Amino acid sequence: MIQVLEFSFALLPIVIFLIGMWMLDSFQLIRTREVIITILFGFLIAGIAVLFHGTILNNTGIDRAALSRYIAPVSEEFLKFLPVIFLIVTRRVGFMVDAAIFGLAVGAGFAIIENLYYLRALEDATLITWFVRGFGTAIMHGCTTAIAAIVSKDLFDTKDWPAMISFVPGFLLAVVLHALFNMFLLPPTTSALLITISLPPVLYLVFKKSEAHTRSWLGTGLDSDMELLQILLAGNISQTRIGGYIQSIRDKFPPAVVGDIICYLRVYLELSIKAKGILIMKDSGVELPPDPNVEAQFEELEYLESQIGKIGLLAIQPLLKIDNTDLWQLSLMR
């Protein structure tokens, strides 16, 4: 019975927390398979961290207390942060809430393996120890990575910085929070309670802010896309501001390329509208079947991109105002 309680205290809190936060996402853009894969990456990262820290302890004069306070916060947060960086840079993350869930999943996987390791290593530990590790350390691992992911996603989308610079503030914040927890400035049980009481509400508020931002983006973006597409389909483009802009770049491109630019705008806008429609329906609890025409539209878009070239794509940026979220929504369609 005691072993069951130890196992429950050590592993269940972070799992329940992750599931709870995932279920709070009304758009449900991250599939179960993606969450599981991210947790498995957390498993792998925890194993690497154990080997790395073991090497340090066995080959240097650093003791375990110093390792926990000064090295582990940096090494563990860096390793946990790597999958998050990959997901954001490759535009597999649409919104801050998705970044938070991926960060939580990595942290949860890391915490599960770490606590399983300590369940085996600390045979005479008390239930208080497992309470601290389950409700304190495990939640901390999930929340620090989630917070770093949220900050990084926001900066990556909104700041005109070099991509890697956008990840520095979030990483440093995660390291500081982790280090403060490992400094044992408060009694362990107090720290565990403080983590459990404070960090989950912070993530909940971020979830709600992200969902509000998503709905605002959907509303304004859909209206803009519809207006632009209607103008293109109406055939009187020369009488509009869009026609005026295209006329201004006409002298810079051959007529065939100008025609490809107009076709590119049409296909891109159709895909963008479909993507936003899927999100709106998801928010309403309706799951739409895959559109069989989407793949053909992507093939046409890729062909037109090759015809237009990089300079042509740059020339139409002012019309589409494409940002990272817009690029992500195209990956959603696929």
Side-chain angles (χ1 to χ4, degrees):
M1 183 62 181
I2 296 298
Q3 289 181 334
V4 172
L5 288 174
E6 290 176 350
F7 185 87
S8 300
F9 279 180
L11 303 181
L12 289 184
I14 185 61
V15 174
I16 293 171
F17 182 47
L18 171 61
I19 293 173
M21 288 294 162
W22 182 38
M23 296 303 294
L24 280 175
D25 178 15
S26 60
F27 289 96
Q28 291 289 298
L29 297 175
I30 301 176
R31 293 171 291 182
T32 305
R33 180 172 62 88
E34 294 172 323
V35 174
I36 292 172
I37 291 173
T38 309
I39 291 172
L40 293 176
F41 271 106
F43 288 176
L44 175 63
I45 289 164
I48 294 172
V50 168
L51 293 175
F52 176 67
H53 294 158
T55 301
I56 292 176
L57 291 172
N58 293 332
N59 295 281
T60 69
I62 296 174
D63 60 21
R64 191 170 293 277
L67 176 75
S68 175
R69 292 179 179 180
Y70 306 115
I71 296 176
V74 178
S75 60
E76 292 178 356
E77 293 305 327
F78 175 76
L79 289 170
K80 288 190 295 173
F81 202 32
L82 290 177
V84 174
I85 293 174
F86 172 78
L87 291 168
I88 293 177
V89 168
T90 56
R91 296 188 174 91
R92 287 172 167 81
V93 180
F95 305 103
M96 286 190 295
V97 63
D98 304 325
I101 291 171
F102 278 125
L104 271 175
V106 174
F110 186 97
I112 288 170
I113 294 301
E114 185 179 72
N115 278 358
L116 283 173
Y117 170 80
Y118 281 110
L119 276 169
R120 181 179 178 182
L122 305 177
E123 297 179 353
D124 56 348
T126 66
L127 286 178
I128 295 296
T129 301
W130 300 120
F131 172 84
V132 171
R133 292 211 59 84
F135 285 88
T137 307
I139 298 295
M140 179 274 294
H141 276 306
C143 287
T144 52
T145 313
I147 290 170
I150 291 166
V151 172
S152 299
K153 174 61 179 170
D154 184 51
L155 294 177
F156 187 79
D157 288 347
T158 60
K159 301 297 183 182
D160 190 20
W161 295 346
M164 288 300 104
I165 299 298
S166 301
F167 297 102
V168 174
F171 169 68
L172 293 178
L173 179 58
V175 170
V176 169
L177 292 173
H178 191 150
L180 287 174
F181 181 84
N182 282 10
M183 289 292 180
F184 302 111
L185 302 176
L186 297 172
T189 52
T190 305
S191 295
L193 288 172
L194 186 62
I195 289 287
T196 306
I197 292 171
S198 60
L199 291 185
V202 169
L203 288 184
Y204 175 78
L205 291 175
V206 170
F207 269 46
K208 291 303 165 185
K209 179 183 177 182
S210 176
E211 287 195 345
H213 171 75
T214 302
R215 292 189 178 94
S216 174
W217 172 79
L218 282 173
T220 57
L222 185 60
D223 291 343
S224 176
D225 289 348
M226 289 290 291
E227 178 187 3
L228 186 52
L229 183 61
Q230 287 172 356
I231 290 172
L232 289 173
L233 295 178
N236 59 344
I237 189 172
S238 61
Q239 306 299 318
T240 67
R241 59 181 178 82
I242 298 168
Y245 180 79
I246 292 178
Q247 184 65 39
S248 71
I249 64 173
R250 186 183 296 273
D251 297 337
K252 302 176 183 177
F253 298 97
V257 174
V258 175
D260 287 337
I261 286 175
I262 295 173
C263 290
Y264 180 90
L265 288 170
R266 175 186 58 79
V267 177
Y268 177 90
L269 289 168
E270 287 175 355
L271 286 169
S272 178
I273 289 168
K274 286 180 181 180
K276 291 181 175 69
I278 288 174
L279 291 174
I280 291 170
M281 297 304 288
K282 274 181 171 289
D283 190 30
S284 303
V286 179
E287 193 76 26
L288 295 176
D291 186 342
N293 299 317
V294 164
E295 192 56 39
Q297 287 182 296
F298 270 109
E299 290 176 2
E300 183 179 1
L301 200 67
E302 290 165 0
Y303 170 76
L304 290 169
E305 283 182 359
S306 67
Q307 297 299 107
I308 294 170
K310 292 183 178 180
I311 297 177
L313 290 173
L314 287 173
I316 60 177
Q317 286 291 324
L319 290 176
L320 297 178
K321 297 179 180 178
I322 299 174
D323 59 18
N324 288 312
T325 307
D326 293 306
L327 294 172
W328 162 84
Q329 72 177 353
L330 293 186
S331 68
L332 171 70
M333 290 299 298
R334 274 187 152 161

